[in-house]
Structure formats: C-alpha cells, structure tokens
Amino acid sequence: MANADRKILIVGAGPVGLAAAVEFARRGFRPRIVETKDGPVPLNESRALAVNLRTLKLLEPAGLSDKIVGEAQQIAEMRLFDRDRPLARISTTEIASGKYRGMHVLRQGDTQRLLLERLAEFGIVPDWRTGLERIALSDTQPTATLLRADGAREEAAFDIVVGADGAHSTVRRAAGFSFAGQALADTFYLADYRYTEDLDTSYVEAHLFNPGAIARFPVDRRTVRFVSTLADFRDGIRHVGVVENVTWQAEFKVSFRHVERMSRGSVFLIGDAAHIHSPIGGRGMNLGIEDACWLAWLVSEGREGEFSDLRLPPVRLVVGETHGLTRMVLLRNPIALLLRNMAVPLLTHVPWFTRRTAASMLGLDTPPPPWLE
C-alpha cells in the first residue's frame, strides 16, 4: 500500500501532534488531524517554551529549525544558586548538533504556528473543534468515532491512530492503556512578567530555598517566566527591570507517569498522552516531538511494531532524570541539603559531569535518530 493510501488519524493538534503530522506528510502520507480546541494555544498561555538541540536536529529536514531559531531566544547558560550563593554555571553552547548550539526558548503558540504553516504547505489543515469520542479495536483497523462541536458524529476506520492528546488522553483511555505513576503533593506556581524594556535573555537560573525554588526563564525579549513551589514566591522575585504587567498566572500539579506500552495494535501514543513529568529540565514537548518523528519514520519503513520497544527506554530515562532533579529541588532533610550544596560546586569542575548535564539539558542523552546519520 502506498503511503498516501494509508489512513492515519492524529488526535491532538498541539506541538507534538502537529510535528507528527508534518513528519508523516513529508514522507508522502496524508494524515488527518483533529483537535477539540478551536485553534493553537494563546501566545500568552504557552506552557512549553524550551526547544532543545535534539528537536532542532529532528525538525531540520522539514525546514522548520531555521525558522524556530530565527524567532527564538538562545539560552547560553544555566545558573544555579543556594538562595543567592552561586552553586553552578553550566554552558549550553559548548555542544553542537550540526549548525545549532545551545538551548532555545520559543512560546508554544509560536511553535504551533510554524508547524501549522508548514503543514498547510502540504495541503493539510487540522479539523478544529473535533475530538475522539471512542475507539473500537480490531485485528485489522481501529474504528474511531469523531464528535464535532455541533454534535455531529462520524465513524471511520483508520490504518493507524495516533494519540497526541495530552495528559488526559481520550485515546489512551479509550484504547485501554494503563498510566501508572505517582503525583507530587506540592503545587507549582507560574507567573509571566512583562517589562518595559528588553532584558538579557541568554540564561536561565534557579534559586533554591530549602525546600522549594524560584526559577527564571525568558519567554521573549521583554517577558520572563518565574516558576516556583513557594506560594509566596512573588515576594522573593528580584526584578531586573520595570514591570509593565503580568501577562499570565497559573497553578499546576506535577505527576511522573508513563504507559507500560506505547502502542496497542495500530494505536500509538506520543507526548504527554504516553508520559508526563516535571517541567524541570524543559524536556516535555521535546520528548514528545522525538516520539512523533520516530513514529513517522518507523511507519514509513514498515517497522511500526518496534515503536514501543525503541521509545520506552528514553522515556524511562527522561522521567527518571526529571524526577531526580525535582527531588533535589524539594529536599527538606538538612544533611541532604548540606551534601547537595557541597557536591554541586565540586562537580561543576569535573568536565564529564558538566558535559553530561549539558547533554541532558539539550536532549542529546537519548538515541540519535538513525535516519539523520
């Protein structure tokens, strides 16, 4: 069967679902993509910001990486403090992936827009305000029932169904995947501050307060995101400019979960539908885009049966790493805090440690995509 004749349904038009659609489309498939929302996430409510080197490498063949870099802010350094005492400074630009260096930050809404523009060049537009109601599995083709906002239903069989519909995935539940893990009791708080003048956007930093932290990430040249586990964190922010306004505030909980298998028959899960973890490290969207690119390649090679076995090891690695980093931030034991604050400055003078840490931040600790070698 020719690629264009295979019926592929992608549920979810976030960055991960759109990346999957682009990767399928550039390989000759004609995927259908549905989304319950009426468009991309509003720019001022962009949860995902980080675009790492692995993602740039993966999206380069689609002609997207230069566009992302052209609009994004480059992060050259990560800084860590015990309150105001420096613990570590790690460069993100010493490791390259092709012509790209460092971490980049771009609002999720902008990333979605670039993906949508590229997808439109293939003549594909998501079916907005359309979601999956249920799915029936069979030995041949899964049958999906789609529900539009006007209440109209459509039932159709597909060769492949891809769940890219987030942490509360309808595809995952409908297809009977388990989603084991644990939730943290701590609440995370987020606030985006816009300033009256341009700021230095070349670094991210975190101040540890034993327990808890306040982390700082640039959003654009005049907007900075602060994320914390401290309810009163706004009182601890040291602004480096004149605040114009707060563009977004949110609270959220963090869980560490992943499916036991990332496929069941012809149903596949990618991104938050398959794995969720702390935002510390900026790996969420990037790991999902990895899933998307690997799936499209494997399907084009007729090897989609290998997807779960190939993707679960890096998923377990990233979930474990982010869990460890989150525990480090939330330490309460005085002895453990002392050991952390003594060990981190020493380790930053060990080249192996700093290179490994940078590689993890840049997404280069997972298997390289074989189709790009």
Side-chain angles (χ1 to χ4, degrees):
M1 182 184 296
N3 288 355
D5 296 327
R6 300 194 72 181
K7 295 181 179 179
I8 297 175
L9 173 67
I10 300 171
V11 182
V16 172
L18 291 172
V22 167
E23 286 297 291
F24 274 116
R26 76 179 186 86
R27 288 181 166 85
F29 296 91
R30 298 287 302 173
R32 181 177 180 185
I33 182 166
V34 298
E35 170 59 61
T36 56
K37 298 182 177 66
D38 58 7
V41 65
L43 289 179
N44 67 323
E45 297 181 10
S46 295
R47 290 190 180 274
L49 294 176
V51 180
N52 64 30
L53 281 187
R54 175 72 81 217
T55 294
L56 292 177
K57 187 71 172 178
L58 287 165
L59 295 181
E60 189 174 14
L64 286 161
S65 297
D66 283 348
K67 294 180 180 179
I68 290 173
V69 170
E71 296 191 17
Q73 310 299 314
Q74 186 185 51
I75 304 299
E77 190 174 65
M78 182 272 191
R79 303 171 184 175
L80 184 65
F81 299 82
D82 173 31
R83 295 187 181 271
D84 290 323
R85 184 171 70 88
L87 291 179
R89 298 177 73 139
I90 297 176
S91 170
T92 67
T93 58
E94 294 180 2
I95 300 176
S97 180
K99 62 182 178 180
Y100 304 111
R101 288 182 179 273
M103 177 76 73
H104 289 78
V105 292
L106 185 65
R107 294 173 299 185
Q108 178 181 329
D110 286 320
T111 301
Q112 284 180 269
R113 173 178 52 79
L114 292 174
L115 286 162
L116 283 165
E117 289 173 358
R118 185 69 181 102
L119 194 58
E121 293 173 3
F122 293 106
I124 299 172
V125 178
D127 292 341
W128 300 107
R129 304 181 71 194
T130 301
L132 177 78
E133 186 177 46
R134 59 180 175 268
I135 189 168
L137 303 180
S138 72
D139 293 334
T140 54
Q141 292 178 314
T143 300
T145 301
L146 303 176
L147 179 63
R148 292 196 291 270
D150 61 5
R153 287 179 171 82
E154 174 191 352
E155 190 173 280
F158 293 89
D159 297 298
I160 288 174
V161 175
V162 181
D165 50 342
H168 303 290
S169 171
T170 301
V171 176
R172 187 184 65 237
R173 293 195 303 269
F177 289 85
S178 63
F179 201 43
Q182 66 180 84
L184 294 182
D186 300 79
T187 298
F188 283 67
Y189 304 89
L190 173 158
D192 288 354
Y193 286 82
R194 183 164 180 81
Y195 296 86
T196 57
E197 296 181 355
D198 288 358
L199 306 172
D200 181 357
T201 60
S202 66
Y203 66 95
V204 300
E205 68 180 24
H207 293 256
L208 305 176
F209 287 92
N210 309 324
I214 299 177
R216 174 196 188 278
F217 308 88
V219 176
D220 57 39
R221 295 204 64 81
R222 291 194 178 184
T223 308
V224 171
R225 171 166 300 171
F226 294 93
V227 180
S228 181
T229 55
L230 306 172
D232 60 350
F233 76 101
R234 294 168 185 81
D235 298 333
I237 295 175
R238 295 183 179 179
H239 295 287
V240 295
V242 177
V243 175
E244 184 175 286
N245 63 329
V246 178
T247 60
W248 188 39
Q249 299 183 76
E251 298 180 10
F252 58 96
K253 294 286 189 177
V254 166
S255 294
F256 298 87
R257 304 181 187 277
H258 64 77
V259 291
E260 293 181 3
R261 298 286 299 171
M262 293 180 68
S263 62
R264 186 177 181 189
S266 297
V267 178
F268 300 84
L269 298 179
I270 59 178
D272 286 355
H275 43 78
I276 56 174
H277 51 77
S278 164
I280 293 175
R283 299 297 297 271
M285 180 186 74
N286 295 283
L287 189 63
I289 289 175
E290 274 192 57
D291 296 339
C293 295
W294 275 85
L295 179 59
W297 175 67
L298 287 169
V299 171
S300 70
E301 294 287 308
R303 296 170 52 189
E304 57 265 35
E306 302 174 36
F307 177 70
S308 189
D309 289 336
L310 289 171
R311 290 307 299 160
L312 270 177
V315 164
R316 294 189 184 106
L317 171 70
V318 173
V319 172
E321 286 180 345
T322 57
H323 199 180
L325 289 171
T326 305
R327 287 200 307 267
M328 183 189 76
V329 168
L330 299 176
L331 281 176
R332 288 174 169 83
N333 183 287
I335 296 175
L337 288 167
L338 177 63
L339 290 174
R340 179 196 68 190
N341 294 343
M342 291 175 59
V344 171
L346 294 174
L347 288 171
T348 56
H349 290 90
V350 179
W352 170 85
F353 175 83
T354 56
R355 187 170 182 84
R356 185 180 183 279
T357 301
S360 175
M361 292 170 57
L362 299 173
L364 301 179
D365 55 351
T366 58
W371 63 95
L372 297 180
E373 293 181 343

